Amino acid sequence: MSQTSKPSEAAATSLLSRLNSFTSRLSQAFRPSLGRQSIARRLVILSLIIIGLAFLVGGVLLSRLFYWHAITTTERDLEEILSNISLDVSIQADARGRPLVSVNRSGQETAFNSPFSGKYWQVSEPDGTLHRSDSLLDFALQAPPGLRPGQVVRDVRPGPDEQTVLQSHKAVFYRDYGLLLQLSAAVDISETRALHRSFNLYLAGALVVLAIVLLGGILLQVTLALRPLRQAERDLQQVRLGEQAEMGQDYPNEIGALVKEINALVDDNHR
């Protein structure tokens, strides 16, 4: 009987040694070499980095799209102002045949009649004579020199009353009079920039709230995803302590193969 017990004790010792070795490897797998971080912590940190980068890129794109949309709308307004001013320009020759330029102001927007209203137009003659909307008072829009006929240039410059205006300049050549006029239109974008700043603040707040919600979802997902591993650790401890013959079978496919190999190892040592 003593001879029979020796092989059993040797098998049990071998099984416990192998299980202890596997448990040690499993424990090391939960504590990677890069510090004492757990799998859950590493997954959460990686998710935070990805979400942070995604929100950063997404936030910048949304901010730029908002500003681009606002500026595009303003540019369309400038095109409409230039088109209307070109129709309002009238040229007649004086007694000496010199062109006399005038601008029909009737029917224009009331904003062009209110000082510093935020909408402006200007017609510049080659000799420096200026025809301006009443909203400009004595302020002159600065245009780049040397515009070619049909050329349109836009820029952002300081405007009247400490405003920041988006300007559009177009050179129009009147062939019948041999006259090149420069038409200018400007719109105050100070309010647009203020709206852009407000949008950025609301966007940042919304992204922070969304990040908190996503973080909660990630923590829940990681907890649920790692639950089978924790169950496997408990089953393995019970097998090692002899409280059950083998590990359970109710595991996801991702670790099911590992559990089968452990059970096969336990079965081989019991034979």
Side-chain angles (χ1 to χ4, degrees):
M1 186 168 182
S2 60
Q3 294 178 350
T4 306
S5 62
K6 289 182 180 180
S8 298
E9 292 176 358
T13 302
S14 176
L15 175 60
L16 288 176
S17 177
R18 294 184 183 183
L19 289 178
N20 285 331
S21 177
F22 177 80
T23 303
S24 177
R25 289 196 300 269
L26 186 63
S27 176
Q28 292 176 2
F30 278 85
R31 293 190 296 272
S33 58
L34 298 176
R36 297 179 57 83
Q37 297 175 342
S38 67
I39 291 179
R41 186 179 303 172
R42 291 168 66 89
L43 289 176
V44 170
I45 292 175
L46 179 60
S47 299
L48 287 177
I49 293 174
I50 294 175
I51 290 176
L53 290 176
F55 278 13
L56 177 62
V57 174
V60 171
L61 287 177
L62 287 174
S63 177
R64 295 306 301 170
L65 282 174
F66 177 89
Y67 189 72
W68 173 83
H69 175 73
I71 292 298
T72 301
T73 302
T74 304
E75 289 176 348
R76 287 198 294 265
D77 292 340
L78 291 174
E79 292 176 0
E80 184 178 356
I81 294 173
L82 288 179
S83 177
N84 292 335
I85 293 300
S86 65
L87 296 176
D88 292 336
V89 170
S90 176
I91 303 177
Q92 295 180 347
D94 62 7
R96 298 182 180 181
R98 293 177 301 184
L100 294 177
V101 179
S102 62
V103 180
N104 181 16
R105 299 171 183 265
S106 63
Q108 292 186 353
E109 292 184 44
T110 56
F112 294 123
N113 301 322
S114 302
F116 311 136
S117 63
K119 282 191 174 184
Y120 314 99
W121 62 260
Q122 176 178 287
V123 178
S124 306
E125 296 188 37
D127 61 0
T129 302
L130 299 178
H131 306 268
R132 293 175 287 196
S133 63
D134 294 337
S135 55
L136 276 174
L137 294 182
D138 59 349
F139 187 89
L141 299 177
Q142 300 298 319
L147 290 182
R148 299 185 302 273
Q151 183 180 4
V152 177
V153 175
R154 295 190 183 93
D155 56 13
V156 176
R157 290 176 180 265
D161 196 31
E162 299 182 351
Q163 296 175 354
T164 301
V165 295
L166 176 62
Q167 300 182 143
S168 183
H169 311 279
K170 182 178 182 179
V172 180
F173 182 69
Y174 293 86
R175 189 178 304 276
D176 294 342
Y177 301 94
L179 183 64
L180 182 65
L181 297 180
Q182 185 168 284
L183 310 183
S184 301
V187 174
D188 179 24
I189 59 172
S190 302
E191 185 176 352
T192 299
R193 289 185 168 182
L195 287 174
H196 185 223
R197 289 191 292 269
S198 298
F199 175 80
N200 287 339
L201 291 176
Y202 285 117
L203 177 62
L207 290 179
V208 169
V209 173
L210 183 58
I212 293 174
V213 173
L214 288 177
L215 177 59
I218 290 171
L219 293 175
L220 178 61
Q221 183 179 13
V222 169
T223 301
L224 295 177
L226 296 181
R227 183 174 295 176
L229 289 178
R230 297 189 181 94
Q231 181 61 41
E233 183 180 11
R234 288 192 294 268
D235 286 352
L236 186 58
Q237 289 176 350
Q238 291 179 353
V239 170
R240 181 169 59 85
L241 296 175
E243 296 178 359
Q244 61 185 46
E246 62 179 16
M247 298 179 65
Q249 302 294 330
D250 188 19
Y251 285 98
N253 295 333
E254 288 75 11
I255 63 173
L258 176 62
V259 173
K260 289 181 180 179
E261 291 297 326
I262 295 175
N263 287 334
L265 175 64
V266 173
D267 185 62
D268 289 342
N269 281 277
H270 281 169
R271 293 179 182 178

